[in-house]
Amino acid sequence: MTALPEALLAAVARDFPADFLSVDPSDLATFGRDWTKVHEPRPTAVALPRTTDEVSRLLRLCTAFQVPVVPSGGRTGLAAGAVAAQGEVVVSLSRMRRMNPVDVLGGTVRVQAGAVTEEVHRHVAEHGLTWPVDFASKGSSQVGGNIATNAGGVKVIRYGLTRQWVLGLEVVLASGEVLELGGALEKNNTGIDLRQLFIGSEGTLGIITEATLKLTRLPGKLDVLLFAVPNLAGVLSLFREARTGPFVITAYEFFTEKCMARVRRHRSVREPLSSPSEYYVLLEVERAEPEALEGWITSLFERGVVTDGTLAQHAGEAAAIWALREGISESLSATGMPHKNDIALPIQELEGFCAELESVFEARYPGWEIALFGHIGDGNLHVNVMKPDAMEKAAFLARTHEADHTMFDLVRKYRGSISAEHGIGLLKKDYLAYSRSGTEIEIMRAIKRALDPLGIMNPGKVF
Amino acid sequence: MTALPEALLAAVARDFPADFLSVDPSDLATFGRDWTKVHEPRPTAVALPRTTDEVSRLLRLCTAFQVPVVPSGGRTGLAAGAVAAQGEVVVSLSRMRRMNPVDVLGGTVRVQAGAVTEEVHRHVAEHGLTWPVDFASKGSSQVGGNIATNAGGVKVIRYGLTRQWVLGLEVVLASGEVLELGGALEKNNTGIDLRQLFIGSEGTLGIITEATLKLTRLPGKLDVLLFAVPNLAGVLSLFREARTGPFVITAYEFFTEKCMARVRRHRSVREPLSSPSEYYVLLEVERAEPEALEGWITSLFERGVVTDGTLAQHAGEAAAIWALREGISESLSATGMPHKNDIALPIQELEGFCAELESVFEARYPGWEIALFGHIGDGNLHVNVMKPDAMEKAAFLARTHEADHTMFDLVRKYRGSISAEHGIGLLKKDYLAYSRSGTEIEIMRAIKRALDPLGIMNPGKVF
């Protein structure tokens, strides 16, 4: 562990609250990592500011002493973007969780970056509003982290990515300078929109300290359906039908029987359908007229678009269907050793891609089970490759790197993305060139140099 | 008019089609200007490429000879962003209007940048889809121009700005290098999203040659309503009611009796309401149940939220109501001399801002009529200051510059934007600092240098 310069420590002791900086080993271990468990956390200290001014003054010091910094939110990331493994100072936003009163007329709310996603949901729900950024980790993820990673989730098909729900940002640059970008404005066409640079920048350009969020009306009654289809072509045919169905789609998720079998082994589940099927689709819809929805479902059966299906009759049944989908990740880890990827393909390429992936893996990695699920309405696949039970862990890990290159070759061939929603961080950095050209990476570096000339912001991440 | 280097002309004659470059005076006059009539068009030549490769080879030549370039779409802009007044070469995308077949499953379509907005609408409508970028000039505006200006319009309250409807961009840099940014992907979190730089860049960073557009389902039946309210507070109270009404808002526009009086003078209009009112609201909604809508309207009258109102009973009545709103701009020009601004305010600041604007203008510019209208659901005001009939045109123009500073001081005070949707171009360049800080402008310049080191792309525009 590197030591911080004496003069920096003296300045912190003089100009900041006594509890501002922690070097407690348990804090270092906690704040040095995210949900990935690949890198050993090794920060030098954890700073816990309460105000933007404290963030600004700290970054000025870090610039003066060239101390690297890792911005840190709820640390629920899956790409090791918030990992501090190189003696950095972690700047945790967790004390900055103030939420201003909701601007009901404008449909906006300004919050500090450390506000927890689910607390924002609660804060605005009493006005019939929501910030529609929604995923499993919302109970601990923070607004600043959501924005810095342009978070996705299960409602993207209805609401888009986090990028669409950010009106204004307050950002502290490495120099300590505070930028106010945008504000409570829907429209502001005054030159290059610098907000967009920070959305999805994974902490490499500055620290987001406050945000003005765009809100929308809470959805009306939601209907949840589970369907069985024989193959991926069936998943896509049903998607085509749903696109023109008598409702608004709020989620279109799929998973395979291989995933379902793992959920069954790990949890006691009530099976909503009478018999297993190779592929399942979870469809959630809003504003459906009961008769129109029933008619639509009947027609699917009559035309053989689905082989089985059920419409949740009450909230408990809806939750049980969602539990199947949301239990997959945990069940895969509980019943084996998954190697995870999060990729996106143009929807029309999904079938070709998956068929080729299966056959290439069968040939090169016999016995490796591929558990597929994801937000297929967005072309987003979570590809979990399971270690064969008989294979040594070390032998498996030694080959996953090569297997990733194999998969990403196919992703590139089918014009997809190697990271749909998780970002690049440390985990996918070696593979960035599969999705971005040399010139693009050079332009990113130039932007980085313009905003962070000393390279102290989250060094080594992304590019 | 500057002459082009002989060697460049020789290269064009050798390597491009015979009709690639025009120096015909009428072409120079046509392609040198947009809908603003402030600057005298003075391009050196107009290039009319048919392919991305031609754009790329042309820009390589322009870089080699340091010839400045103005990218040019439908030239319907209102900020002089596409004006060529300094001997530039205009690169018109008007021959590049190919539209690929619609990807119905993914809900996308790839088109060349010169495709006309309304033609895209027609191309995708047969599949029940739309590209929801919609405004009065859609019959001549082009997709590339819409994206380069992040165009707004009357449906932003429902669908957001153009930025939300662009999945992939093909862009040619000044160097001639072609970038493929994104593609037919909803999700792609792989480092800084460079697409976002080009959206709204007003041609200063490169030339957009192709785009993969995100489509959405055509809306269902739309209801159009016109209401009378006594004042701006009434416009905002009604907006609050509409936000929770039993429908989806697709447009919320307002205009004042001053605007209506000009429309009345210029056109023969059938007045939909029985008597004039100081303020009018046009509300368009989707998915309204007839009884629920009637009940909502009745309640507005009972509670005195509106003083008058009408619901269009058929398409003709709906069109007549829209014609009032859409006839304002033309009627202002036909009945007097408007000085135009396009600003945005946080919605909750609109009342304070408008009251202060009125009183400041009354004191400093007595007799200047302010005609207010706009997309108030987005906080977007079109402020038209009318020349007093008795005032000399030159005397009026001499004072509008000062009046703009007066207004923009207030815009800044109320945390607004000096250009909501029209952009900066040449017209608003002198005022950019009202909306963007010195550091922000420096960062924009650094990005510009990274992408266009010689500064040949639309020089002098924006910053």
Side-chain angles (χ1 to χ4, degrees):
Chain A
M1 195 165 78
T2 352
L4 288 175
E6 290 287 334
L8 184 148
L9 289 171
V12 168
R14 190 181 62 233
D15 299 331
F16 291 81
D19 63 354
F20 181 76
L21 204 70
S22 169
V23 293
D24 182 288
S26 96
D27 281 346
L28 299 185
T30 302
F31 286 94
R33 70 167 15 144
D34 59 16
W35 277 10
T36 61
K37 303 286 178 255
V38 177
H39 305 85
E40 203 51 44
R42 204 170 287 128
T44 302
V46 179
L48 291 151
R50 289 181 174 84
T51 64
T52 299
D53 180 60
E54 285 182 0
V55 175
S56 166
R57 288 189 287 121
L58 174 68
L59 289 193
R60 219 171 292 145
L61 282 174
C62 290
T63 282
F65 294 97
Q66 299 209 29
V67 171
V69 159
V70 175
S72 180
R75 301 184 313 286
T76 60
L78 293 169
V83 162
Q86 311 271 358
E88 303 95 332
V89 170
V90 172
V91 181
S92 168
L93 280 293
S94 53
R95 282 177 182 161
M96 292 178 62
R97 55 209 301 167
R98 193 194 68 242
M99 299 186 284
N100 287 5
V102 179
D103 164 14
V104 177
L105 183 60
T108 74
V109 67
R110 183 164 173 138
V111 303
Q112 283 186 308
V116 170
T117 314
E118 200 167 45
E119 285 172 14
V120 173
H121 292 174
R122 273 195 288 265
H123 180 57
V124 306
E126 59 184 295
H127 303 285
L129 296 168
T130 188
W131 189 52
V133 172
D134 193 358
F135 36 74
S137 62
K138 64 187 170 192
S140 38
S141 79
Q142 297 173 7
V143 165
N146 296 342
I147 296 171
T149 57
N150 187 28
V154 292
K155 299 296 171 78
V156 170
I157 192 170
R158 169 71 174 91
Y159 296 108
L161 292 158
T162 299
R163 188 181 299 281
Q164 289 194 13
W165 300 95
V166 179
L167 294 178
L169 287 182
E170 182 190 77
V171 176
V172 183
L173 299 180
S175 64
E177 180 151 9
V178 180
L179 296 183
E180 274 290 341
L181 304 172
L185 298 173
E186 180 68 31
K187 290 177 169 176
N188 181 21
N189 275 344
T190 54
I192 298 171
D193 187 350
L194 299 180
R195 278 179 312 173
Q196 308 299 336
L197 292 180
F198 294 95
I199 300 171
S201 64
E202 302 188 47
T204 60
L205 301 180
I207 298 185
I208 296 165
T209 47
E210 297 201 8
T212 304
L213 308 178
K214 177 175 173 170
L215 307 175
T216 188
R217 212 196 277 199
L218 276 166
K221 180 179 171 294
L222 299 176
D223 281 304
V224 178
L225 303 98
L226 185 71
F227 289 108
V229 290
N231 47 37
L232 189 57
V235 174
L236 298 176
S237 300
L238 179 55
F239 183 56
R240 194 180 282 110
E241 299 279 342
R243 281 249 170 165
T244 54
F247 42 67
V248 175
I249 302 175
T250 57
Y252 191 90
E253 303 282 311
F254 96 111
F255 47 96
T256 59
E257 169 59 19
K258 289 190 176 114
C259 296
M260 185 74 137
R262 299 264 179 180
V263 175
R264 222 178 269 130
R265 271 166 61 189
H266 175 53
R267 291 178 168 188
S268 126
V269 293
R270 191 165 47 81
E271 304 260 347
L273 301 179
S274 46
S275 57
S277 168
E278 279 304 299
Y279 286 78
Y280 300 93
V281 168
L282 185 162
L283 171 65
E284 187 187 78
V285 302
E286 185 189 350
R287 294 201 208 98
E289 286 295 307
E291 307 87 65
L293 184 60
E294 292 286 355
W296 182 77
I297 296 170
T298 304
S299 158
L300 294 180
F301 277 96
E302 283 171 0
R303 290 178 296 126
V305 179
V306 300
T307 54
D308 198 358
T310 182
L311 166 64
Q313 295 302 313
H314 52 73
E317 283 186 14
I321 292 174
W322 266 113
L324 296 177
R325 164 64 185 83
E326 297 199 320
I328 292 171
S329 219
E330 184 190 307
S331 302
L332 294 178
S333 297
T335 60
M337 183 181 174
H339 173 69
K340 290 169 178 291
N341 270 301
D342 165 49
I343 60 176
L345 279 306
I347 295 176
Q348 56 178 349
E349 304 286 6
L350 281 166
E351 242 191 296
F353 171 83
C354 288
E356 195 165 345
L357 182 73
E358 293 273 359
S359 76
V360 168
F361 267 61
E362 252 171 50
R364 291 201 203 166
Y365 312 104
W368 290 28
E369 181 182 314
I370 301 179
L372 275 183
F373 65 104
H375 319 299
I376 203 158
D378 313 313
N380 184 181
L381 297 178
H382 295 311
V383 184
N384 284 249
V385 178
M386 306 299 297
K387 181 181 79 60
D389 291 342
M391 196 173 192
E392 285 298 319
K393 181 175 163 183
F396 178 66
L397 286 178
R399 295 202 69 191
T400 54
H401 192 74
E402 174 207 323
D404 282 348
H405 281 288
T406 303
M407 185 185 311
F408 293 155
D409 271 332
L410 290 179
V411 169
R412 180 160 53 189
K413 174 179 168 185
Y414 286 93
R415 297 172 294 124
S417 166
I418 62 153
S419 188
E421 55 182 19
H422 293 173
I424 299 295
L426 286 175
L427 275 195
K428 300 297 173 199
K429 189 178 148 180
D430 291 345
Y431 309 97
L432 183 60
Y434 282 99
S435 281
R436 308 296 297 266
S437 71
T439 303
E440 286 180 69
I441 294 171
E442 268 318 300
I443 296 170
M444 290 192 226
R445 285 190 200 283
I447 292 169
K448 166 86 173 169
R449 279 193 300 272
L451 290 160
D452 175 25
L454 298 176
I456 66 166
M457 296 305 308
N458 218 5
K461 308 289 167 40
V462 185
F463 44 73
Chain B
M1 197 163 79
T2 351
L4 289 175
E6 290 287 334
L8 184 147
L9 289 172
V12 168
R14 191 181 60 234
D15 299 332
F16 292 80
D19 63 353
F20 182 76
L21 204 71
S22 168
V23 292
D24 181 286
S26 96
D27 282 346
L28 299 184
T30 303
F31 286 95
R33 70 165 17 140
D34 59 15
W35 277 10
T36 60
K37 304 285 178 254
V38 177
H39 306 84
E40 203 53 44
R42 205 171 284 129
T44 301
V46 180
L48 291 152
R50 289 182 175 82
T51 65
T52 298
D53 180 61
E54 285 183 359
V55 175
S56 166
R57 288 189 287 122
L58 174 69
L59 288 193
R60 219 171 292 146
L61 282 176
C62 290
T63 281
F65 293 99
Q66 300 209 28
V67 171
V69 158
V70 175
S72 181
R75 302 183 314 284
T76 61
L78 293 168
V83 163
Q86 311 271 358
E88 303 95 333
V89 170
V90 172
V91 181
S92 168
L93 279 296
S94 52
R95 282 178 181 161
M96 292 178 61
R97 55 209 300 166
R98 194 194 68 243
M99 299 186 284
N100 287 4
V102 178
D103 165 13
V104 177
L105 183 61
T108 73
V109 67
R110 181 162 174 139
V111 302
Q112 283 186 308
V116 170
T117 314
E118 201 168 43
E119 285 172 11
V120 173
H121 292 173
R122 274 196 287 264
H123 180 56
V124 306
E126 58 184 296
H127 304 284
L129 296 168
T130 188
W131 189 52
V133 172
D134 194 357
F135 37 74
S137 62
K138 64 186 169 192
S140 39
S141 79
Q142 297 173 7
V143 165
N146 296 343
I147 296 171
T149 57
N150 187 27
V154 293
K155 299 296 171 77
V156 171
I157 191 169
R158 169 72 174 90
Y159 296 107
L161 292 158
T162 298
R163 188 181 298 281
Q164 289 193 13
W165 299 95
V166 179
L167 294 178
L169 286 183
E170 181 191 78
V171 176
V172 183
L173 299 181
S175 64
E177 180 150 11
V178 181
L179 297 183
E180 272 292 338
L181 305 172
L185 298 173
E186 180 69 29
K187 290 176 168 176
N188 180 22
N189 275 345
T190 53
I192 298 170
D193 186 349
L194 300 180
R195 277 179 311 172
Q196 308 298 336
L197 292 180
F198 294 94
I199 300 171
S201 63
E202 302 188 47
T204 60
L205 302 180
I207 298 185
I208 296 166
T209 46
E210 296 201 9
T212 303
L213 308 177
K214 177 174 172 172
L215 307 175
T216 188
R217 210 195 277 200
L218 276 167
K221 181 179 170 294
L222 299 175
D223 281 304
V224 178
L225 304 98
L226 184 71
F227 289 109
V229 292
N231 47 37
L232 189 57
V235 173
L236 297 176
S237 301
L238 179 54
F239 183 56
R240 193 179 284 109
E241 299 279 343
R243 280 250 170 163
T244 55
F247 43 67
V248 175
I249 302 175
T250 56
Y252 192 90
E253 303 281 311
F254 96 111
F255 48 96
T256 60
E257 170 58 17
K258 288 191 177 113
C259 296
M260 186 73 138
R262 299 264 180 180
V263 175
R264 221 177 270 131
R265 272 166 61 189
H266 174 54
R267 291 177 170 191
S268 129
V269 293
R270 192 166 45 81
E271 304 262 344
L273 302 179
S274 47
S275 56
S277 167
E278 279 305 299
Y279 286 77
Y280 299 93
V281 168
L282 185 162
L283 172 65
E284 188 187 76
V285 302
E286 185 189 350
R287 292 201 209 97
E289 287 295 309
E291 307 86 66
L293 183 61
E294 293 284 354
W296 182 77
I297 296 169
T298 304
S299 158
L300 295 180
F301 277 96
E302 283 170 2
R303 289 177 297 125
V305 179
V306 300
T307 55
D308 199 356
T310 183
L311 166 64
Q313 295 302 312
H314 52 73
E317 283 186 15
I321 291 174
W322 267 114
L324 295 177
R325 164 65 184 82
E326 297 199 319
I328 293 171
S329 220
E330 183 191 309
S331 302
L332 294 178
S333 297
T335 60
M337 182 182 174
H339 173 69
K340 291 170 177 291
N341 270 299
D342 164 50
I343 60 176
L345 281 304
I347 295 174
Q348 57 178 347
E349 304 287 5
L350 281 167
E351 242 191 296
F353 170 83
C354 288
E356 196 166 344
L357 182 74
E358 293 271 0
S359 76
V360 168
F361 266 61
E362 252 170 50
R364 291 201 202 165
Y365 312 103
W368 291 27
E369 181 182 313
I370 302 179
L372 274 183
F373 65 103
H375 320 298
I376 202 157
D378 314 312
N380 184 179
L381 295 178
H382 296 312
V383 183
N384 283 247
V385 179
M386 305 300 295
K387 180 180 80 60
D389 291 340
M391 197 173 190
E392 286 297 319
K393 182 175 161 183
F396 178 65
L397 287 178
R399 295 203 70 191
T400 55
H401 192 75
E402 175 207 321
D404 283 347
H405 282 288
T406 302
M407 186 187 309
F408 294 155
D409 271 332
L410 290 179
V411 168
R412 179 160 55 191
K413 174 178 167 185
Y414 287 93
R415 297 172 294 125
S417 166
I418 61 154
S419 188
E421 53 181 19
H422 293 174
I424 298 296
L426 287 173
L427 275 194
K428 300 298 173 197
K429 190 178 147 180
D430 291 345
Y431 309 98
L432 184 60
Y434 281 98
S435 280
R436 308 296 296 266
S437 71
T439 302
E440 286 181 69
I441 294 171
E442 268 318 301
I443 296 170
M444 291 192 227
R445 284 189 201 282
I447 291 169
K448 166 85 173 168
R449 279 192 301 272
L451 290 161
D452 175 24
L454 298 176
I456 66 164
M457 296 305 309
N458 218 6
K461 308 290 166 44
V462 185
F463 44 74

